Amino acid sequence: AQSVSQHNHHVILSEAASLELGCNYSYGGTVNLFWYVQYPGQHLQLLLKYFSGDPLVKGIKGFEAEFIKSKFSFNLRKPSVQWSDTAEYFCAVNAHNQGGKLIFGQGTELSVKP
Amino acid sequence: ETGVTQSPTHLIKTRGQQVTLRCSSQSGHNTVSWYQQALGQGPQFIFQYYREEENGRGNFPPRFSGLQFPNYSSELNVNALELDDSALYLCASSGKGTAMLNTEAFFGQGTRLTVV
């Protein structure tokens, strides 16, 4: 069965620290990859997506992610986090010929200390 | 704002009851998917509707059912509620149908269902 694994359940950082959240998936075919963010009390928002082309994708709010096909990974990065980045982050995969369903990781809660 | 609206925002039901949750998709979108997000977990796919037909289903029992209407809004119905059904139910709409590759889903704020 397909799965998405996020390495960290809870990450605590100080402002200005660098961030990297790991995401691995198990599917060998064509995939679309996403990172969503869920701020407290708000809906899931798309941070960035990978469909094809340049494996380094840039999203909103200074986030970027790198797709490494050989490692089945799509790690999220940000050079310098802010207190406002405190939220839950979800990696998701949409696999080819799987009916369009998104498979989500279990999420990583990020707490940024001011 | 994503243009996807869900109602109600919160709901409390008793075990054994039935519940209907509603979703209005973003303008121009013909595909609606429903997800269940238990506390501390990522969303789990329940099913998807494309042009009023169910188009894919996750590992949920038949007491979870749905509808999509000609205006592409959707309902999620859950019969014989169980305590474990307590969760945030998310609706997502997108503009493409069956394959849904190379498109993104826009999520509503969800309905928080508590079963007591």
Side-chain angles (χ1 to χ4, degrees):
Chain A
Q2 300 155 36
S3 65
V4 176
S5 176
Q6 292 183 235
H7 309 316
N8 310 99
H9 187 62
H10 191 187
V11 172
I12 302 172
L13 296 173
S14 298
E15 276 193 315
S18 64
L19 170 72
E20 180 159 2
L21 301 182
C23 172
N24 286 90
Y25 64 93
S26 63
Y27 185 73
T30 303
V31 293
N32 294 159
L33 299 159
F34 305 84
W35 276 96
Y36 283 88
V37 61
Q38 192 171 35
Y39 299 102
Q42 295 190 26
H43 61 272
L44 278 170
Q45 300 176 35
L46 183 68
L47 271 180
L48 47 78
K49 63 194 178 205
Y50 173 79
F51 289 165
S52 63
D54 189 343
L56 185 62
V57 294
K58 296 191 183 300
I60 61 171
K61 305 186 181 187
F63 286 91
E64 65 178 30
E66 185 175 12
F67 171 47
I68 303 179
K69 189 174 182 180
S70 60
K71 294 184 178 181
F72 299 91
S73 70
F74 190 56
N75 292 353
L76 180 71
R77 299 194 291 249
K78 186 171 184 178
S80 175
V81 295
Q82 301 173 315
W83 176 80
S84 58
D85 293 324
T86 295
E88 185 124 28
Y89 292 80
F90 294 95
C91 179
V93 174
N94 175 13
H96 180 60
N97 288 338
Q98 295 300 311
K101 69 179 181 182
L102 287 172
I103 301 170
F104 284 84
Q106 70 271 34
T108 297
E109 184 180 348
L110 173 65
S111 299
V112 180
K113 297 180 177 180
Chain B
E1 287 296 324
T2 63
V4 181
T5 57
Q6 292 186 243
S7 62
T9 54
H10 294 86
L11 200 53
I12 300 175
K13 287 287 191 177
T14 303
R15 189 171 49 182
Q17 284 188 315
Q18 178 266 344
V19 68
T20 297
L21 310 182
R22 294 177 175 82
C23 172
S24 294
S25 58
Q26 187 167 320
S27 177
H29 285 182
N30 57 20
T31 302
V32 171
S33 301
W34 286 92
Y35 293 81
Q36 180 195 68
Q37 186 179 11
L39 203 59
Q41 301 293 321
Q44 299 289 316
F45 176 75
I46 303 175
F47 44 54
Q48 181 185 91
Y49 278 83
Y50 169 61
R51 293 184 177 177
E52 304 179 58
E53 297 285 332
E54 186 179 290
N55 176 47
R57 189 179 183 92
N59 190 25
F60 281 82
R63 58 188 185 86
F64 285 78
S65 63
L67 283 173
Q68 188 179 32
F69 300 99
N71 66 355
Y72 303 129
S73 65
S74 178
E75 286 183 355
L76 164 66
N77 299 291
V78 187
N79 293 323
L81 284 166
E82 301 176 0
L83 296 179
D84 285 350
D85 295 333
S86 295
L88 180 68
Y89 288 85
L90 297 168
C91 169
S93 78
S94 62
K96 283 189 185 179
T98 52
M100 238 183 87
L101 276 181
N102 299 341
T103 188
E104 66 180 86
F106 295 84
F107 285 83
Q109 282 197 286
T111 294
R112 173 74 61 189
L113 173 64
T114 302
V115 182
V116 297

